[in-house]
Amino acid sequence: MLYIKGDEATRLQNVLFTIYFQCKDIREANKQYFICTNLEDNRILEKINDFPSLFSTILDSMRYRIVIGMGNIFDNNPKSLSIWKLLNLCEQEGKEKLNKEVKKIRNELSNYKDTIENINTLRDKMYGHIEIKYSLEIEDIYDKNFEFLNTQILLSKKILNYIMEECVKLSKEYDDDKLGLHFSWNFDKEK
């Protein structure tokens, strides 16, 4: 359980905190993934040559973390701890400014609809389900196309930054940011 200045956090505070820091962790994996796949960096090439199996495992792990993490953030299941759950909890508070911010966020996230759908499909096809309907017997864009995967991972970084920034705003509107997310955001935002 999360505590804020000795008091037990509310459900909304817990969800805000969790979503913000999940996004931060996924974004860090995203950043490290692109550092590790920069084949123009001689240091990276040396490490790949020295430890090819380890490097392959590291890249697979980062892909997994990013795709599964993004899939969780955008899971449509009402029982899942997702951005949708966060927005619903905010709406239930009945605060006008909070609801206005939620409406703005929902509208902005609709602009990322394709990327969100692609990430969820990648999650299901690559990691979430080992079933015939997702097998590699029928090859399509999601199966072996690392350029497509890398594009979706790169696009997800923008979404993660947006959600983190909006968590700070929601926290401010909810309870004048008792969580102190604005403090974290000052260090976490990319300049």
Side-chain angles (χ1 to χ4, degrees), residues 23-70:
C23 287
K24 180 180 174 180
D25 290 347
I26 297 164
R27 192 185 68 179
E28 185 59 31
N30 190 311
K31 178 182 173 184
Q32 296 306 316
Y33 177 75
F34 284 105
I35 289 171
C36 290
T37 57
N38 179 7
L39 298 180
E40 293 176 14
D41 185 334
N42 288 333
R43 296 171 303 162
I44 298 296
L45 288 174
E46 287 174 19
K47 297 299 178 198
I48 290 172
N49 290 332
D50 291 344
F51 307 101
S53 294
L54 175 62
F55 212 77
S56 175
T57 301
I58 288 169
L59 290 178
D60 285 343
S61 296
M62 284 189 278
R63 280 187 211 110
Y64 181 86
R65 173 65 179 116
I66 296 163
V67 172
I68 292 293
M70 288 295 293

Side-chain angles (χ1 to χ4, degrees), residues 125-138:
K125 292 187 77 116
M126 294 178 71
Y127 303 111
H129 303 282
I130 301 180
E131 322 175 333
I132 293 299
K133 72 177 184 174
Y134 292 119
S135 75
L136 294 179
E137 293 173 9
I138 302 170

Side-chain angles (χ1 to χ4, degrees), residues 94-120:
K95 294 181 176 184
E96 188 177 331
K97 285 185 176 182
L98 198 55
N99 286 344
K100 189 176 180 179
E101 193 66 31
V102 167
K103 185 176 181 180
K104 185 185 107 188
I105 294 168
R106 286 187 190 279
N107 186 49
E108 183 65 25
L109 288 176
S110 70
N111 294 327
Y112 298 111
K113 181 181 178 224
D114 290 343
T115 302
I116 292 167
E117 287 176 4
N118 288 338
I119 290 285
N120 282 331

Side-chain angles (χ1 to χ4, degrees), residues 3-27:
Y3 289 88
I4 302 167
K5 297 180 183 175
D7 294 327
E8 192 173 298
T10 66
R11 185 170 182 217
L12 181 53
Q13 288 169 327
N14 272 302
V15 175
L16 265 168
F17 183 87
T18 301
I19 296 295
Y20 180 90
F21 284 100
Q22 281 294 314
C23 287
K24 180 180 174 180
D25 290 347
I26 297 164
R27 192 185 68 179

Side-chain angles (χ1 to χ4, degrees), residues 15 19 72-75 77 80-87:
V15 175
I19 296 295
N72 291 341
I73 294 289
F74 290 104
D75 196 325
N77 184 330
S80 296
L81 188 60
S82 67
I83 187 67
W84 313 122
K85 163 94 64 204
L86 172 62
L87 297 176

